[in-house]
Amino acid sequence: ERWDVSIQLWMEENEFFGCDVQYQEDDYAWAKPLPLDKEDLLLHLSEIDPEERVRQSSAFKMYNALKELADEMTFAGRPVEIVPPGSSTHGIFTKAAEIRGLEQICVDMYDAPDFVDKLLHLVTEKNIARIKAWHKLTTGLDLQLPLAEGFHFCDDSLQLISTEMYERFVLPCHERLYSAMTAGKRRMHLCGRSSQHYHTLRHKLNVTAIDGPSPFVDHGQYLRELGPDFSFVAQTDHSVLANGSESQIDEMLRGLLSNEAKIPGRFQVMGFVTRHTPLRNVEICYQAGRKYGAIGQD
């Protein structure tokens, strides 16, 4: 019925928390850790006014500019809708790690566990308030929580830590976030080598869908182990898709689409195409998906 144009600024949260964001030509943006000691960092985070911080953000200004540009715009006879950011988070632990510094937060988990508890708690509560602020400032209405529909968020930096450390520090914050946001299904995105957390997420957090696992995960094994209501949205290796040979792309899809993983309704494959990915490689990937994706076909 309409064309949704989403604003995806991966550093929007970092800016919300006060980080200096670095934008690079033809590369990811990244944010510098806040140069504050433990107590000053906690004080800084506690004093953030969510509505004011969102209102002053570059993401909010971009949203309003695009809304003005798209006013009464149509394409193929259908209206163009600008979708605001701020409806979820790129990760409680991930953002805390970027705010504090990736190496430093790992040291803190051993040397200053009480500080890490306070930091993660603040990041969680401010993120919930940030989501509410975005909703109020873009709709004029208070967000009615918990949502009836499900809730999805990312936490890519979980690959840095063990299951024990996840359960000790992060699990309570994830439970707090899910409980605040939704009465429906829980889904999470994880990049990298995070399979050590799958059983914990499923059995202790009631996550029933994970997206992001790459070809190095044995999807069939986890689909068997995690129960009939659990599903994956797996991802291709984006570097192989962009730079691989025909045989490498074909082998990647064959590995992803094993007979054990091809369970209807519980397994999908997706991928990201950069502007440098040859269209021929996209075609090879698609044809390999057709070839190996049929149920009952090796």
Side-chain angles (χ1 to χ4, degrees), residues 51-265:
E51 283 194 30
E52 183 61 25
R53 190 59 62 89
V54 169
R55 190 181 290 109
Q56 296 300 321
S57 70
S58 58
F60 188 65
K61 294 170 185 175
M62 179 182 289
Y63 168 75
N64 285 323
L66 291 177
K67 285 281 288 184
E68 184 176 347
L69 286 170
D71 185 37
E72 299 186 359
M73 180 184 291
T74 62
F75 180 75
R78 297 172 183 173
V80 176
E81 180 79 16
I82 306 301
V83 180
S87 61
S88 187
T89 173
H90 278 94
I92 300 302
F93 182 70
T94 300
K95 292 306 159 185
E98 292 174 346
I99 290 167
R100 179 64 173 156
L102 297 178
E103 298 88 353
Q104 186 59 57
I105 199 170
C106 291
V107 173
D108 291 337
M109 293 169 85
Y110 288 94
D111 290 345
D114 291 344
F115 162 73
V116 175
D117 282 333
K118 293 175 183 178
L119 174 62
L120 291 171
H121 173 79
L122 272 171
V123 170
T124 303
E125 296 303 323
K126 290 296 180 178
N127 245 316
I128 294 169
R130 169 187 146 272
I131 293 168
K132 291 180 179 179
W134 267 107
H135 185 86
K136 184 174 182 179
L137 291 172
T138 56
T139 68
L141 303 172
D142 289 331
L143 183 60
Q144 300 302 309
L145 296 175
L147 304 170
E149 63 268 24
F151 185 67
H152 172 221
F153 66 91
C154 313
D155 217 337
D156 289 335
S157 292
L158 293 188
Q159 62 187 299
L160 293 174
I161 61 176
S162 66
T163 302
E164 179 184 4
M165 299 298 263
Y166 171 74
E167 293 185 11
R168 163 67 179 83
F169 290 101
V170 189
L171 178 62
C173 296
H174 281 176
E175 178 58 51
R176 165 66 181 138
L177 178 61
Y178 275 127
S179 296
M181 292 304 303
T182 184
K185 291 186 176 181
R186 299 175 172 192
R187 178 181 166 195
M188 190 178 293
H189 169 89
L190 295 173
C191 278
R193 298 185 181 273
S194 301
S195 58
Q196 70 269 29
H197 302 304
Y198 292 172
H199 280 276
T200 301
L201 294 173
R202 175 67 192 92
H203 298 303
K204 295 191 176 183
L205 200 60
N206 198 29
V207 170
T208 56
I210 292 176
D211 68 52
S214 294
F216 50 74
V217 171
D218 187 339
H219 302 96
Q221 171 194 337
Y222 286 108
L223 288 170
R224 287 193 309 273
E225 294 176 354
L226 298 178
D229 60 344
F230 181 84
S231 63
F232 276 122
V233 178
Q235 290 188 12
T236 62
D237 185 319
H238 314 319
S239 62
V240 172
L241 185 57
N243 305 308
S245 65
E246 180 170 353
S247 62
Q248 288 173 324
I249 297 171
D250 186 90
E251 181 181 359
M252 174 176 67
L253 266 292
R254 181 168 184 165
L256 282 167
L257 293 165
S258 67
N259 282 331
E260 293 77 15
K262 292 188 295 185
I263 302 174

Side-chain angles (χ1 to χ4, degrees), residues 39-57:
E39 293 306 316
D40 287 342
L41 176 58
L42 296 178
L43 179 62
H44 165 80
L45 295 176
S46 67
E47 292 181 342
I48 288 175
D49 180 331
E51 283 194 30
E52 183 61 25
R53 190 59 62 89
V54 169
R55 190 181 290 109
Q56 296 300 321
S57 70

